[in-house]
Amino acid sequence: MIVILIISVGWGLDRLLSHSVTEQNNPDTIGIKTGFLYIGALLLQHERDIETSWNAEQTAIQTSLGFPVALFQISDFFGDKRIINALKSGEITTLATEENSTIYYQKLQNTHFIIALGPINKSTTTESTDRLLIWVYYLLVAIVLYIWLWPLSRDLRELRKTAIDFGAENFAARVKINKSSSITPVATAFNSMAQRIQDLITSHQDLTHAVSHELKTPLSRFKFSLEIVNNSDDKEQNKKYLQAMKQDVCELDELIDEMLSYAKLGTHNLKLNLQRIDPEQWLKAIIESYSQEDIKISLEMMSLNSEQEKYITIDKHLMSRAVNNLIRNGLRYAHQHLKISFNKDDNKIYLSIEDDGIGIPEQFREQIFQPFARLDTSRDRQSGGYGLGLAITQKIVQQHGGKVVVDKSTLGGASFKLSWLDIDIRENIK
Ligand code: ADP
């Protein structure tokens, strides 16, 4: 399109320019004008009548100009009205002959005579050279454009191919183009979008597998117990299996509750039930509920000076759930000590829950926040949950606009660090 456009604009311009050049500034036209002036001066210098002068001078004029000349009465001149009018007003008029030559006419001033110069052959050689030059020029433009556009069109084709590939469920397809390409930003955006979609699909598949596995285990135990109870008359044994079945149903119920909570927390427009609370009172009450535990839980509060600073705005119910998940995990792994620290600066709230247990190896520190992720798979189910606790905690903190990370604690075990922007301040920023 660009090539066609440039060529047509160039061609149009060329036509326009060459037209005006021929009419006004062309050396040929200047020569013709001089020829007419010369003949006029010669014919009018004697007081003789024009025809006598013409007969006397024609051969000399013809010889000095180098092309045929003729004299007509204007009344002898047949032609288009417009041409005759143009002649009458003194303009130079041309007529093309069949042999690609031109005859020029002009009326002799204050007389009824018309002088004709020609036929004069057009200088075809310069014209064809010009035409050739023009074509070379456009060809060069076209080549430059092609060299410039070809990589772009090749990269766009690659992008299109990858998009089609990706659409056909090849989620590993990525755009591979040179970094210097002009569509690199588009390709990078496409690739990062493709990566995110692939991650989402993978995590969705993992989740589906995990859910089906988690649901299937108690269900198959249940089916097994049911089969035994059905085929046995041993009352004592049946009682034992019925008890196991009851436990499986409870487990399923609990799992479904956890899964629903997790799904609900993942929604974008979850409405938080925000409350302004005193963090010290809140955390002390939570710790109090674990007073029966063997492990000692200590609380380290940063000293908050003013009354204003003392309060934080959170969804108390949800944030308590997040903290309880971390405390329960900590209690499960701690040897003797669990420490909760609260800190607050100008606009951020920091809460950490650390223990002196086995900790979490560095390579698993991101993975454990995935739903159904458990590091100690061999562990007895009764001692742990479904691997949803940390995923739920992360979602709650994210709903508060914050994040949770895990690190090594100075106590020796894991240190879960929650941080989020104080909601009051967030409202002001908005
Ligand atoms: P679960 O309810 O099965 O414990 P979580 O999501 O709470 O699931 O935890 C996921 C995994 O992270 C646990 O199975 C455990 O391996 C590891 N983990 C969590 N908290 C701790 C901790 N304080 N110390 C060591 N490992 C932990």
Side-chain angles (χ1 to χ4, degrees):
M1 285 293 287
I2 293 173
V3 173
I4 291 172
L5 197 77
I6 288 187
I7 288 182
S8 44
V9 168
W11 182 75
L13 273 176
D14 182 57
R15 296 280 302 190
L16 205 73
L17 283 174
S18 65
H19 186 252
S20 56
V21 166
T22 331
E23 289 307 304
Q24 288 159 26
N25 308 325
N26 191 319
D28 285 358
T29 320
I30 296 169
I32 296 298
K33 275 184 188 165
T34 323
F36 280 123
L37 281 173
Y38 166 64
I39 297 169
L42 267 181
L43 296 182
L44 296 173
Q45 73 177 333
H46 307 290
E47 305 259 298
R48 302 180 287 206
D49 74 297
I50 303 288
E51 274 178 316
T52 323
S53 294
W54 176 257
N55 291 334
E57 305 287 352
Q58 186 186 9
T59 330
I61 293 171
Q62 217 154 267
T63 325
S64 59
L65 288 180
F67 44 76
V69 292
L71 187 76
F72 301 102
Q73 285 275 355
I74 196 157
S75 52
D76 298 340
F77 207 82
F78 300 105
D80 193 308
K81 256 233 157 80
R82 268 191 305 137
I83 296 176
I84 295 178
N85 285 341
L87 281 171
K88 278 183 179 164
S89 64
E91 280 176 35
I92 296 174
T93 311
T94 58
L95 276 180
T97 68
E98 279 169 11
E99 297 83 39
N100 196 27
S101 47
T102 314
I103 304 175
Y104 296 82
Y105 300 93
Q106 192 181 35
K107 186 169 152 288
L108 201 57
Q109 257 180 358
N110 306 324
T111 67
H112 297 292
F113 292 101
I114 287 180
I115 301 164
L117 304 186
I120 301 167
N121 274 337
K122 275 192 179 170
S123 50
T124 45
T125 43
T126 50
E127 216 170 71
S128 57
T129 327
D130 280 359
R131 213 168 279 163
L132 188 76
L133 272 176
I134 286 168
W135 280 111
V136 168
Y137 166 73
Y138 287 125
L139 196 71
L140 282 175
V141 170
I143 291 172
V144 170
L145 276 175
Y146 181 76
I147 292 171
W148 177 56
L149 287 177
W150 182 74
L152 183 71
S153 97
R154 179 200 55 199
D155 293 347
L156 283 174
R157 272 201 305 275
E158 164 73 14
L159 182 64
R160 181 168 169 268
K161 195 179 125 275
T162 315
I164 292 172
D165 232 23
F166 195 83
E169 297 192 13
N170 173 12
F171 297 119
R174 296 288 180 274
V175 185
K176 288 183 200 89
I177 54 168
N178 210 314
K179 277 211 170 71
S180 59
S181 166
S182 51
I183 65 155
T184 298
V186 186
T188 316
F190 179 91
N191 283 347
S192 65
M193 179 199 72
Q195 187 60 48
R196 257 177 292 146
I197 293 177
Q198 192 184 21
D199 290 349
L200 270 176
I201 287 169
T202 316
S203 76
H204 181 258
Q205 280 166 350
D206 290 351
L207 192 66
T208 317
H209 287 149
V211 169
S212 59
H213 177 257
E214 295 296 327
L215 288 172
K216 268 189 167 163
T217 317
L219 264 179
S220 33
R221 276 200 312 257
F222 187 90
K223 266 161 74 183
F224 177 71
S225 306
L226 191 66
E227 201 65 26
I228 292 181
V229 172
N230 248 347
N231 300 323
S232 156
D233 294 329
D234 181 344
K235 273 201 175 156
E236 214 30 55
Q237 187 191 316
N238 283 357
K239 202 173 159 195
K240 208 178 93 202
Y241 277 104
L242 280 173
Q243 187 57 36
M245 283 161 75
K246 197 173 158 194
Q247 209 173 324
D248 286 334
V249 171
C250 285
E251 199 175 296
L252 276 172
D253 194 39
E254 225 175 276
L255 173 61
I256 289 167
D257 274 353
E258 287 267 277
M259 270 160 45
L260 289 177
S261 305
Y262 177 72
K264 196 174 146 207
L265 284 166
T267 53
H268 282 295
N269 47 2
L270 180 84
K271 195 113 189 76
L272 295 178
N273 181 18
L274 296 173
Q275 278 172 276
R276 247 167 90 73
I277 58 150
D278 177 342
E280 191 166 359
Q281 273 180 21
W282 168 56
L283 290 170
K284 276 185 173 161
I286 291 180
I287 293 169
E288 187 60 34
S289 64
Y290 295 98
S291 54
Q292 305 295 319
E293 297 281 341
D294 296 338
I295 310 283
K296 181 178 158 265
I297 305 178
S298 63
L299 177 63
E300 212 170 78
M301 290 293 294
M302 169 218 188
S303 55
L304 299 166
N305 303 325
S306 68
E307 266 307 287
Q308 180 65 21
E309 263 186 10
K310 215 175 149 188
Y311 291 95
I312 58 169
T313 309
I314 54 167
D315 184 319
K316 193 177 164 194
H317 171 72
L318 287 182
M319 205 45 105
S320 303
R321 184 165 185 188
V323 173
N324 275 314
N325 282 350
L326 296 175
I327 294 178
R328 273 199 297 270
N329 278 350
L331 289 175
R332 205 179 292 148
Y333 294 99
H335 296 309
Q336 291 165 344
H337 190 193
L338 191 82
K339 185 172 90 178
I340 301 176
S341 324
F342 179 88
N343 207 335
K344 187 183 170 193
D345 67 14
D346 287 347
N347 55 6
K348 257 190 159 181
I349 298 166
Y350 305 92
L351 187 66
S352 74
I353 291 130
E354 319 173 41
D355 61 65
D356 57 355
I358 48 171
I360 293 162
E362 207 170 333
Q363 68 268 33
F364 300 120
R365 287 185 188 157
E366 273 189 31
Q367 185 195 316
I368 50 159
F369 292 101
Q370 293 294 321
F372 300 105
R374 280 191 297 246
L375 299 186
D376 35 7
T377 40
S378 58
R379 192 182 59 191
D380 179 11
R381 156 57 49 73
Q382 304 310 319
S383 68
Y386 305 96
L388 279 170
L390 288 178
I392 288 176
T393 299
Q394 189 188 45
K395 284 273 182 273
I396 292 172
V397 182
Q398 281 172 350
Q399 288 288 356
H400 280 75
K403 60 176 186 174
V404 49
V405 292
V406 64
D407 212 342
K408 188 170 167 55
S409 162
T410 46
L411 299 178
S415 166
F416 286 89
K417 292 181 172 136
L418 283 60
S419 60
W420 68 94
L421 215 54
D422 198 3
I423 305 257
D424 277 350
I425 290 158
R426 265 201 286 158
E427 296 305 322
N428 287 342
I429 290 171
K430 271 182 203 164

